[in-house]
Amino acid sequence: MHTPPASAQTWSHRFDTALHPAIAQFNASIGFDMTLIEYDLTGSQAHAKMLAKTGIISPDEGETLVKGLETIRQDYRQGQFRPSIEAEDVHFAVERRLTELVGEVGKKLHTGRSRNDQVGTDIRLYLRDQIIRLRQQLKQLQAVLLSLAAQHIDTLIPGYTHLQRAQPLSLAHHLLAYFEMAQRDWERLGDVMARVNVSPLGCGALAGTTFPIDRHYTAELLGFGGLYANSLDGVSDRDFAIEFAAAASVIMVHLSRLGEEIILWASDEFGFVRLNDSCSTGSSIMPQKKNPDVPELVRGKTGRVFGHLQGLLTLMKGLPLAYNKDLQEDKEALFDTVATVQGCLEAMTLLLQQGIAFRPQRLQQAVSSDFSNATDVADYLAAKGVPFREAYDLVGQVVKTSLAAGKLLKDLSLEEWQQIHPAFEADIYDAIAPQQVVAARNSYGGTGFEQVRHALQVARRQLEQA
Ligand code: ARG
């Protein structure tokens, strides 16, 4: 009789000797793919039910498999299932344990499927859950942005282009810009979900199977929205993973931009926000310091998420059809992307909720001490019939002479204004007051208070719909 290799592998007896331990270690994914175990069990239960329904195994056998898999789930949850490296991966680990638990019938579970369609099923089920969670987190972030915005409709903040003071804004308008980004992120993940939620189960190793399986039934049991129509594509497609990593990268871009603004705002140079103790740390040597660690870490972690996207693209670009072991490398990239984005969303939401406080006086002082109302002087003249370009040149000169005289536009006397142009009247002072400068931008989507109030209403409705 043929003797199985010393360290019993799950593969066929075609192998005479055991894997070199270093190669076993190198080959194994059990060190990270246990993250998938619950999805693996769920997928296998659906497969077992299908095998019974189609008569490939008996109803009793089907029930034994489903129950055995459930026992493994309970054991795992209670910390009593910790497979070792010998199992190679989570799929082998479960199958072996099942056979230990239920005997010979456990060996029937793998009828009509392969680890290739199995692992594809597992990561899709996993990603589906993670996308649901991420979308909830985005809604929480939006809720916090919305409530902050509602408190700060009348708070003004300098608006920048090129990081130079440009025009003052309602702080609510600024915050709602991030609400919009989060809304797109939420929608984008919804789009990705449509392509994640497709069943490869039953594609077999690459070519389908000789058994009369029912792929529609397993897809339905697992809540998939559709099935891969081509078995080769089904086992080797990772577009959905790339799309997910791309959507995750865009989320990180948004969080990182917001983070960067908060870092600037918390500096003495800006002084627009104060960091509260719950979300900032001190320095080990400089006692006066309070550091914006949360937004800095978010900014920093953005790089690794981009890296995972690049990694997945590169992983796929040279792969011939169908499954190749390279695909085992998709997992850590996905798991780390999920953990990183979820962690960043949670931290950023907390930071906005309780970690920072805007400083209205500093903000008021900032918007009243610059020339960010210069456009409004030009608009004032243009409204009185002076061609805009001419008005623009005139105001440019006024800014220049005022700067030289150490004056702001509001400090000019009416006589001075009228020397510049006879069209100026006493209402120029109202027109250049920051509050009015903001209010006047009442074009759709602008920072005018009326527009901002409207935007808040729309935002509230969007949140309720989710
Ligand atoms: N651990 C493998 C992975 O993560 C499971 C699939 C293995 N399939 C194979 N034909 N070797 O991709």
Side-chain angles (χ1 to χ4, degrees):
M1 203 190 122
H2 182 85
T3 352
S7 129
Q9 299 295 349
T10 312
W11 341 291
S12 73
H13 288 176
R14 172 168 168 201
F15 290 83
D16 293 326
T17 56
L19 261 186
H20 188 289
I23 298 301
Q25 182 82 40
F26 182 71
N27 202 41
S29 53
I30 191 86
F32 48 83
D33 68 10
M34 281 294 283
T35 304
L36 296 175
I37 183 163
E38 297 243 5
Y39 304 102
D40 196 70
L41 292 165
T42 304
S44 288
Q45 285 177 321
H47 181 69
K49 284 181 192 164
M50 182 279 292
L51 291 177
K53 176 176 176 274
T54 52
I56 299 170
I57 61 174
S58 75
D60 276 0
E61 288 173 328
E63 206 167 303
T64 305
L65 294 178
V66 172
K67 279 199 185 138
L69 290 162
E70 200 51 35
T71 304
I72 298 177
R73 192 191 301 277
Q74 297 315 323
D75 288 353
Y76 169 73
R77 286 186 184 170
Q78 283 157 24
Q80 280 154 15
F81 181 45
R82 298 248 177 282
S84 71
I85 184 87
E86 260 130 72
E88 184 179 324
D89 62 22
V90 62
H91 323 293
F92 275 151
V94 167
E95 199 183 326
R96 266 197 208 177
R97 175 62 155 229
L98 184 65
T99 304
E100 280 166 23
L101 282 174
V102 305
E104 286 298 294
V105 60
K107 296 183 179 171
K108 291 198 174 184
L109 175 67
H110 213 51
T111 314
R113 75 168 183 191
S114 145
R115 275 185 304 157
N116 299 349
D117 55 340
Q118 186 179 357
V119 71
T121 305
D122 292 4
I123 47 177
R124 284 168 180 84
L125 293 176
Y126 161 82
L127 264 192
R128 207 169 68 178
D129 269 6
Q130 304 312 320
I131 289 174
I132 291 169
R133 170 87 193 112
L134 282 165
R135 293 183 94 209
Q136 285 165 348
Q137 288 190 296
L138 284 164
K139 285 292 146 189
Q140 283 159 6
L141 173 68
Q142 284 186 298
V144 173
L145 285 166
L146 183 62
S147 105
L148 262 184
Q151 291 163 41
H152 288 293
I153 301 172
D154 297 314
T155 308
L156 305 189
I157 186 170
Y160 297 82
T161 62
H162 314 271
L163 203 58
Q164 305 284 323
R165 297 265 181 97
Q167 290 167 357
L169 303 167
S170 156
L171 175 52
H173 192 56
H174 195 120
L175 294 167
L176 286 177
Y178 286 101
F179 181 98
E180 295 287 319
M181 295 178 222
Q183 179 66 23
R184 287 195 297 275
D185 291 337
W186 182 85
E187 289 169 11
R188 194 172 288 113
L189 281 179
D191 297 342
V192 173
M193 181 70 113
R195 279 173 298 281
V196 167
N197 199 26
V198 179
S199 176
L201 190 56
C203 288
L206 76 166
T209 171
T210 56
F211 292 94
I213 59 166
D214 185 347
R215 289 189 57 206
H216 294 274
Y217 183 62
T218 47
E220 190 190 307
L221 285 178
L222 294 170
F224 281 116
L227 291 81
Y228 276 87
N230 179 298
S231 61
L232 288 171
D233 184 38
V235 288
S236 64
D237 169 37
R238 294 294 182 274
D239 296 0
F240 69 94
I242 293 172
E243 276 189 65
F244 172 75
S249 295
V250 179
I251 295 174
M252 291 305 296
V253 169
H254 295 155
L255 292 181
S256 186
R257 292 182 75 182
L258 177 56
E260 173 65 15
E261 295 214 281
I262 293 171
I263 293 163
L264 288 173
W265 291 345
S267 68
D268 280 341
E269 285 69 14
F270 280 76
F272 295 170
V273 297
R274 222 187 277 290
L275 296 170
N276 295 333
D277 294 356
S278 68
C279 298
S280 54
T281 65
S283 148
S284 62
I285 152 166
M286 297 165 282
Q288 84 283 12
K289 290 201 68 183
K290 234 187 206 186
N291 297 327
D293 299 51
V294 169
E296 287 178 307
L297 266 177
V298 167
R299 191 177 58 185
K301 284 174 187 288
T302 299
R304 64 201 268 176
V305 175
F306 292 0
H308 293 316
L309 170 61
Q310 189 62 43
L312 286 169
L313 287 165
T314 312
L315 177 66
M316 296 306 295
K317 75 176 270 290
L319 288 191
L321 291 178
Y323 180 88
N324 298 271
K325 184 76 169 187
D326 313 46
L327 290 180
Q328 182 164 290
E329 287 290 305
D330 63 356
K331 275 157 221 69
E332 286 166 292
L334 284 175
F335 298 162
D336 189 65
T337 299
V338 164
T340 304
V341 181
Q342 288 180 349
C344 288
L345 277 169
E346 183 183 15
M348 233 19 198
T349 303
L350 277 170
L351 180 70
L352 291 171
Q353 207 168 36
Q354 47 170 279
I356 60 167
F358 284 97
R359 301 172 68 185
Q361 276 176 343
R362 287 288 308 226
L363 288 163
Q364 183 55 38
Q365 197 191 343
V367 293
S368 341
S369 60
D370 59 25
F371 288 88
S372 60
N373 47 6
T375 318
D376 297 76
V377 180
D379 286 355
Y380 178 95
L381 286 179
K384 298 208 170 192
V386 181
F388 180 80
R389 188 53 63 209
E390 196 181 315
Y392 170 93
D393 288 340
L394 214 54
V395 180
Q397 298 217 337
V398 180
V399 170
K400 191 170 164 186
T401 51
S402 302
L403 270 174
K407 280 181 172 184
L408 292 168
L409 294 178
K410 65 176 177 191
D411 301 328
L412 300 182
S413 68
L414 189 55
E415 292 76 62
E416 286 174 297
W417 280 117
Q418 286 172 343
Q419 274 162 24
I420 297 161
H421 198 287
F424 283 116
E425 292 174 74
D427 60 353
I428 181 61
Y429 295 103
D430 277 347
I432 61 171
Q435 207 73 18
Q436 177 53 27
V437 168
V438 172
R441 287 181 166 66
N442 199 27
S443 53
Y444 176 78
T447 193
F449 301 112
E450 221 180 292
Q451 291 298 321
V452 169
R453 270 179 235 284
H454 173 69
L456 276 168
Q457 266 175 17
V458 174
R460 251 180 226 118
R461 242 177 286 136
Q462 269 172 341
L463 260 190
E464 281 158 16
Q465 274 168 14

